[in-house]
Amino acid sequence: MSRNEATTEQALLAGAAQLLARAAEARALDVAAILPRLRLTLDKYLLRDQPEASPQEIKDFLARLHADDLLLVIACERGDEAAWNAIVAGFQAVVRSAARGASAGEAEAEELAQSVWAELFGLRARADGQPAGKLAYYSGCGSLGGWLRAVVGQLAIDRHRRVARLVQTEEPADFDHLAREQSHGEDGFRPAVAPDPEQALTEKETARALHTTLARVISELPPEDRLLVKLYYVDGLRLREAGAVLGVHEATASRRLTRLHAELRRSVETILTKEKGWTAEETARAFADMTGMETDLPQLLAAESMSGDKPKKVIGDK
Amino acid sequence: MKLSYDKEMDEALRRHARRADGSALPAQDGAHMDADEISAYAENALPAATRLRYAAHLADCDHCRRLVISGTLAANVAGALEQQATANSTPAHASSASWRGWLAALFSARALRYAAPALALVLVGTVAFIVLRQKQAPESAGLVTEQRRGDAQMPPGNAPAANGSMNSAVTSPATTETSELDARESSAQTSANSATGGRAATNAQPTDELMARRAEESGVGASSQTIPQAAPAPAVTHEASPRAGATPHPNTGLTMSAPAEAANSNAAVARERSRQPAGVREGELVAQSRDDARRNAPPAPPPSATAPSGAVAGAGVAADSAAGPEERATQSRRRAAARVASPRAQAQREEDQTRSETAETRRAGGRTFRRQGNAWVDTAYRSSLSTISMSRNSEQYRALVADEPALGRIVQQLGGEVLIVWRGRAYRIR
């Protein structure tokens, strides 16, 4: 064992002992019983991204694990009856409420909850005959309640995928999404009929170019910035919620978003002028057109599909 | 200008989002996050580097992102984050941001709502207190000064402990008792004034003044009229003063130690005195205090080396011998008043001291703990130490004991609430 591995192992042992000590109920477990699980967790969540983590960082990471939840789960896996009773008694309500949130009706929710418990109990055997309990995947990083909610959510999505093509969870832009899918091709923008077909074409091209460039620039953003953009614009979250997902305060999220606006704009303008040969004026106009354009697309589409010659609104007149 | 930029950019992004981008990755089991990763991310329970890795996946995968979103909202992480923000602005963190945060919290509307009336009350109380004190200032100042001197003198403890305790008992409780008496007098007087109306007051006051004048001039005459009970007291203190005269010893313990019996009689005198009509008593004390103030003023600034109470006794003796029997009586009465508190306080102090040496302190694990209220407090405790509170039932405490078993043993030994200093930190265990 290299020196690094030795110190890691030492830190792991110390952390395991501390975890047992700080739990309210040790459930007749000892360091040997929990060590393998802790080692896996440590590798998966700390050492994979920080292979040179110091013993203190390892200790701190282990100190943050939910001791009681983890010991409860491990005891259940070892067949401890009292632990099973405890987990059902303690978390039945959580599973049920999560199931209700992911289901259309009470019957469906009940069925979903039962499936979850069945999966936990491991009644669905794996191909090699080993019980396929999901409990083995609980690491103790998050709370047991949170993990159970996620399990319910995943199971619900799997079910719905089997039932219908569309994903169950709502997002505000869905309707527009659908509308566009049905009636448009690749891009989501279609102006109303303009008196000047050439102008309309130009505008369409302009917008398409802008969006393509924007897509490229966004994909090059660092992960958390990209995630923020998605959370706020695609998922329609409020800044506070988006910040919560990222683990930052609302004010921080707001500052980041403002910074991103400026950065993205600069990048898009640079690409459009340098690579596509646009003038600064053209670029500015492309952005300005964003706010001046017709936004009520569904109505627009309905009008358009009814009669092609009737102009709903003239665009481009400044 | 910037606003319009933001508006345009904001709108551009909104439209961009509405375009079908088909960024959801195919539902390969290996590619998605498992429930444990999702809930750990949603609860902000992952180290920073790991978070970044998952953020990259979440940015591109609608499926997992939606699960994380519902997990986050369910975990009320937003609320917890705000709590963390306010917790970080406590004085525990030494940074300018927290300073401002702390000040902001201090001056926040809610705090001000309660702080303003509280402040007003405090101001009114302080003003009233000062006014009252000023009324008594000339009288009590003299007493306090001589008693303080006595206290300062004591620590070079060649005196036997009992004496020392008695003396210090004389000084501080005497001060408090005297000021209590004063306060009671003044309040008694005020109530007497208000209750009985102007006539009684005017009656009382001229009587006081009369008494005072008489006391100044003839001493015994006036006082003996009003306070027959004082007679035994001077006799008793007469006993004491020759002794004081004989040995103006720095160790005033000797002086004071005399009246074990005198103490009792003094106490009796004091009790009887307290039953006297308020105005009369007030006048007497006023007289006495004024005498004190004047008499003690000349020998007032003694170097601390000389016997302070001895100086008092000495001055008293000198004054006694100089002024004659009337003066002596007044002096003795004064000293009796000063010692009014002492017998009771002396007894109390003795009791306290012995208790403090046995049941009020305990030693455990090489440390000494003193009983304060319901808690055992480490004698090494200073309020400048950072203190961490925890309950015996908490995970935090169990972790601490796991790290420091010796601390756990001490806390267990003492029981109840314990304030212990450990490695430069203070822990309050309940």
Side-chain angles (χ1 to χ4, degrees):
Chain A
M1 221 188 235
S2 75
R3 185 150 22 119
N4 210 13
E5 284 170 13
T7 45
T8 304
E9 193 66 19
Q10 240 175 11
L12 187 58
L13 280 163
Q18 217 229 27
L19 192 144
L20 280 169
R22 66 184 159 88
E25 273 197 66
R27 301 197 183 270
L29 293 168
D30 58 6
V31 170
I34 67 174
L35 205 56
R37 181 72 145 257
L38 291 179
R39 198 177 281 119
L40 279 172
T41 302
L42 191 65
D43 286 334
K44 180 178 179 186
Y45 288 117
L46 184 68
L47 296 181
R48 181 169 158 185
D49 301 288
Q50 281 177 259
E52 300 301 311
S54 69
Q56 187 59 44
E57 285 172 315
I58 291 173
K59 194 162 182 252
D60 290 341
F61 173 79
L62 293 171
R64 281 197 305 265
L65 296 179
H66 293 247
D68 281 295
D69 286 347
L70 185 59
L71 294 183
L72 178 59
V73 163
I74 294 176
C76 284
E77 284 182 319
R78 291 158 73 96
D80 184 338
E81 270 300 313
W84 272 116
N85 293 335
I87 201 174
V88 170
F91 294 94
Q92 206 170 40
V94 169
V95 168
R96 193 172 290 130
S97 83
R100 272 200 209 107
S103 309
E106 194 61 32
E108 194 185 324
E110 188 58 35
E111 211 234 316
L112 181 59
Q114 278 178 12
S115 318
V116 167
W117 285 114
E119 287 241 9
L120 293 179
F121 284 127
L123 295 179
R124 261 176 35 191
R126 284 206 309 234
D128 52 11
Q130 293 281 331
K134 263 195 148 65
L135 285 178
Y137 291 97
Y138 177 66
S139 68
C141 267
S143 69
L144 186 52
W147 179 73
L148 286 168
R149 268 191 291 265
V151 167
V152 170
Q154 273 189 333
L155 220 65
I157 288 181
D158 286 344
R159 247 156 219 239
H160 289 136
R161 272 227 195 90
R162 273 182 251 130
V163 170
R165 279 209 43 168
L166 287 173
V167 177
Q168 199 74 359
T169 48
E170 290 298 309
E171 56 178 349
D174 256 359
F175 184 71
D176 295 313
H177 233 253
L178 285 173
R180 209 147 313 110
E181 270 175 29
Q182 286 166 22
S183 51
H184 293 291
E186 331 87 43
D187 62 349
F189 176 70
R190 212 182 207 199
V193 175
D196 184 355
E198 211 174 275
Q199 190 177 8
L201 194 66
T202 319
E203 269 144 16
K204 185 172 162 179
E205 290 290 334
T206 309
R208 201 206 298 207
L210 194 133
H211 281 291
T212 315
T213 314
L214 195 52
R216 176 174 138 193
V217 164
I218 288 176
S219 70
E220 287 166 5
L221 281 176
E224 286 199 326
D225 288 344
R226 203 163 68 244
L227 181 56
L228 176 58
V229 169
K230 287 282 176 91
L231 290 170
Y232 188 71
Y233 289 106
V234 175
D235 301 305
L237 293 183
R238 292 194 295 256
L239 267 176
R240 197 174 109 124
E241 296 159 338
V245 170
L246 289 167
V248 299
H249 202 262
E250 179 180 354
T252 311
S254 169
R255 274 199 304 275
R256 276 196 201 167
L257 196 62
T258 312
R259 174 179 52 83
L260 281 171
H261 281 166
E263 269 179 34
L264 290 171
R265 176 133 192 176
R266 259 200 312 274
S267 306
V268 168
E269 284 171 348
T270 309
I271 292 174
L272 288 176
T273 50
K274 297 254 164 68
E275 292 180 23
K276 303 226 159 89
W278 288 24
T279 64
E281 209 181 62
E282 286 169 332
T283 314
R285 178 121 62 94
F287 274 110
D289 285 348
M290 287 288 132
T291 47
M293 290 299 187
E294 175 67 57
T295 51
D296 195 0
L297 278 166
Q299 197 187 353
L300 200 59
L301 300 168
E304 215 181 53
S305 60
M306 282 205 302
S307 100
D309 322 68
K310 210 179 353 175
K312 234 358 187 120
K313 189 167 177 170
V314 175
I315 303 170
D317 280 344
K318 286 261 163 71
Chain B
M1 254 295 119
K2 196 173 182 204
L3 232 66
S4 70
Y5 263 56
D6 287 343
K7 195 172 158 205
E8 289 171 354
M9 197 58 219
D10 187 64
E11 190 55 41
L13 283 164
R14 271 181 217 284
R15 295 190 180 211
H16 183 76
R18 285 195 225 128
R19 295 159 80 84
D21 45 71
S23 61
L25 292 171
Q28 298 160 11
D29 287 319
H32 287 298
M33 289 162 67
D34 64 47
D36 192 71
E37 293 167 314
I38 286 173
S39 70
Y41 189 96
E43 290 179 13
N44 204 4
L46 296 173
T50 318
R51 277 189 75 81
L52 271 178
R53 171 160 57 91
Y54 287 121
H57 174 82
L58 289 170
D60 297 325
C61 176
D62 292 349
H63 169 267
C64 295
R65 196 170 66 246
R66 284 180 204 136
L67 281 167
V68 163
I69 288 169
S70 61
T72 305
L73 297 181
N76 292 325
V77 175
L81 271 172
E82 286 189 21
Q83 275 177 19
Q84 201 179 37
T86 43
N88 281 342
S89 61
T90 57
H93 299 256
S95 70
S96 61
S98 67
W99 247 104
R100 268 181 240 124
W102 178 72
L103 277 172
L106 198 64
F107 287 105
S108 71
R110 215 210 293 181
L112 279 174
R113 206 198 308 163
Y114 296 114
L119 261 170
L121 271 169
V122 167
L123 271 167
V124 168
T126 318
V127 166
F129 185 68
I130 292 173
V131 167
L132 284 170
R133 290 290 292 176
Q134 273 177 1
K135 283 206 195 125
Q136 307 156 20
E139 307 105 44
S140 48
L143 277 171
V144 172
T145 340
E146 65 185 275
Q147 287 153 9
R148 285 236 189 81
R149 267 179 268 132
D151 199 17
Q153 228 279 329
M154 270 330 286
N158 46 356
N163 284 339
S165 71
M166 266 192 273
N167 196 35
S168 47
V170 168
T171 54
S172 32
T175 321
T176 35
E177 290 245 12
T178 321
S179 46
E180 269 178 37
L181 277 170
D182 287 344
R184 252 181 286 144
E185 302 306 352
S186 54
S187 56
Q189 165 141 56
T190 0
S191 54
N193 282 342
S194 51
T196 57
R199 189 124 72 93
T202 44
N203 280 347
Q205 271 166 5
T207 324
D208 295 346
E209 281 167 18
L210 190 63
M211 274 174 46
R213 239 176 286 129
R214 290 232 189 106
E216 285 167 23
E217 291 158 13
S218 61
V220 167
S223 36
S224 56
Q225 280 174 21
T226 52
I227 306 154
Q229 299 97 323
V236 170
T237 52
H238 264 286
E239 196 184 304
S241 41
R243 213 180 298 174
T247 51
H249 197 269
N251 185 353
T252 56
L254 283 181
T255 317
M256 299 303 190
S257 63
E261 320 87 314
N264 288 335
S265 59
N266 277 349
V269 165
R271 254 177 270 130
E272 283 178 18
R273 281 232 193 94
S274 62
R275 285 194 216 110
Q276 289 171 14
V280 170
R281 218 160 78 241
E282 151 88 5
E284 178 211 7
L285 274 175
V286 161
Q288 284 183 356
S289 332
R290 279 209 209 115
D291 288 346
D292 280 342
R294 243 180 308 113
R295 292 247 170 67
N296 292 328
S304 53
T306 63
S309 311
V312 167
V317 168
D320 277 351
S321 45
E326 307 93 345
E327 299 298 346
R328 206 177 298 153
T330 323
Q331 284 281 352
S332 320
R333 216 177 315 115
R334 209 184 317 129
R335 252 176 277 129
R339 269 179 261 151
V340 154
S342 71
R344 261 177 302 174
Q346 280 174 29
Q348 175 98 43
R349 196 66 187 181
E350 279 168 340
E351 214 185 312
D352 280 345
Q353 259 236 333
T354 39
R355 233 188 304 146
S356 75
E357 281 159 359
T358 53
E360 289 294 45
T361 56
R362 278 181 70 171
R363 297 186 60 82
R367 289 166 167 71
T368 313
F369 294 86
R370 194 181 301 120
R371 192 91 185 150
Q372 270 184 27
N374 286 336
W376 288 107
V377 177
D378 196 331
T379 47
Y381 177 71
R382 303 278 170 271
S383 53
S384 55
L385 289 171
S386 64
T387 309
I388 303 167
S389 286
M390 55 185 86
S391 122
R392 277 186 176 73
N393 276 335
S394 67
E395 194 170 325
Q396 200 183 4
Y397 177 68
R398 285 191 287 268
L400 179 64
V401 169
D403 283 337
E404 310 279 356
L407 185 151
R409 279 196 291 276
I410 295 172
V411 170
Q412 199 177 1
Q413 208 179 334
L414 289 171
E417 182 171 333
V418 177
L419 186 58
I420 181 171
V421 176
W422 196 272
R423 293 193 206 274
R425 280 213 192 123
Y427 296 90
R428 184 186 293 276
I429 317 288
R430 286 199 191 83

